[in-house]
Amino acid sequence: MKNDITVLFAQSRGTINPNIYGHFTEHIGGVFYDGLWVGEDSPIENVRGFRKALVDSFKKINPSIVRWPGGCFAETYDWRDGIGPREKRPRRINWWYNWDRRVESNQVGTHEFMDFCEQVGAQPYVAANMTTLPALHIRNWMEYCNAPAHVSTLADERAANGHEAPFGVRYWGIGNENWGGGGNMSAEMCAREYMRFDTICSSLPGETVTVACGANGHDVSWTREMMRTMAQKGVRPGALSVHYYCGTAGTPQEFTDDEWYQLLHQANYMQNIVDDNRAAMDEFDPEREVMMYVDEWGCWHKDGSGPSKGYNLFEQQSNMRDAVVTALTLNIFNDRCDVVGMANVAQLCNNLHALYLASGEHFVETPTYHVFDLYKTHQGARQLGVMNECGTFTPPEDKQRAYKPLDRVSVSASQAADGTVTITLANTDLHEPVRVTLRGAGGSLTGRALMRTLSSEDAHTCNTFENPTAVTPVERTIDFADGDALILPAASVTGVVITPIAQ
Ligand code: AHR
């Protein structure tokens, strides 16, 4: 079989927004408490309360944006609970209490979260409560965060709480999953609520992007109705979100061969989610002014596979299957950078498709973390077209979903302003390595190449507290000539960064 990949230098869908490499941190289970946050008085090394090992590791992948404080948690969250002296903050039975029996201590609130973002060099994306608080209350949160120093009482309160300068929060979600946990609204009702909030909130000075609640996965009718209701009033949201998770019955440690391919096909369905929801948006926004934010995505496995064995709600282990899902999903987003303006993998630590597992003194980078590291040079680069001649797997029969064939080698490419080319490849074949020839058309791939490959003898292997580096990338730097071949091990992810040699 011919296994050729040609990078098309003259074909581009634009710049890959760094926000596609975004993250999500919710107050749920073990994400914050004993995950990101250990507290300033902890014996665990920390930077103003945040786990230092995590901060140091996270910085290395250049995180662009972090969404907070939910998720569903956001829909019962009152921001005023999380400001002022920590010892005086209230304890609350929050949205997730019936699931995880945790009472929210509010030790991490607005100031702490903004500090975390500053420490890691990411922008904050705040998800505001549209379901249970009045619009004025949310507007006040925006004013508290963004009003210039000294201009208002809320700005003074921010200064009294330790931060004179505005936080400058640009991205605001208005509601979360309002088709479900955010109030079980109809699309029409959600659109009307969004417009009510947005009208009030946008009467503040300063530039913000407000994000309306989009579809649950492939619910294109929700997208259409939201857009139609807003269009009738001449309104376009700052952006429209969409959430999509994939999962199978098996656990990360126990999946079968069939479940490997099932999960990858489900992940590949992200193409349909983006393209079909975008087509519905196009009916009301043909100029494509409104970007799509996939502000929750990832694998959602059976609960209880993580180190806490179910204590941390939705905490799960991960391995090369999750890494390949990460890789092919990010390739899909790169290739749709003209319509996807942001994406946030759910969630950062001790939950779902996590980059980190942590507890007490233990801290582990998952295979998903390593994929983000392999892909980081795509951020802000110009996406390049790719001709992929490596074959496909036949999708499963499904009456509900028109799955597209899964590429044997999922790939995307980009070129940074300095000429550096990044090519990221995932071999989706569980058992067979692939020998791939890489060449450029309209440009050359000849240059010095940093090749990093993430793979494992057994795709079920996870990084654990006992063996934290079981799955870790192997790196080499070589002279690469246009048309050379590389071997992609079975079930692997490879990042190639080529610094071209001037011809
Ligand atoms: O990520 C966990 C939950 O999944 C979020 O709170 C919610 O938005 C989604 O259903």
Side-chain angles (χ1 to χ4, degrees), residues 24 26-28 67 69-74 95-96 176-177 179 181 216 243 245 295-297 300 313-314 346-347 351-352:
F24 175 36
E26 178 170 15
H27 289 243
I28 178 177
R67 180 172 180 249
C72 293
F73 177 86
W95 199 99
W96 287 108
N176 175 74
E177 297 194 350
W179 33 261
N216 177 10
H243 289 181
Y245 290 97
D295 58 16
E296 284 184 35
W297 69 268
W300 193 319
L313 182 66
F314 302 154
Q347 303 196 11
N351 192 282
L352 300 180

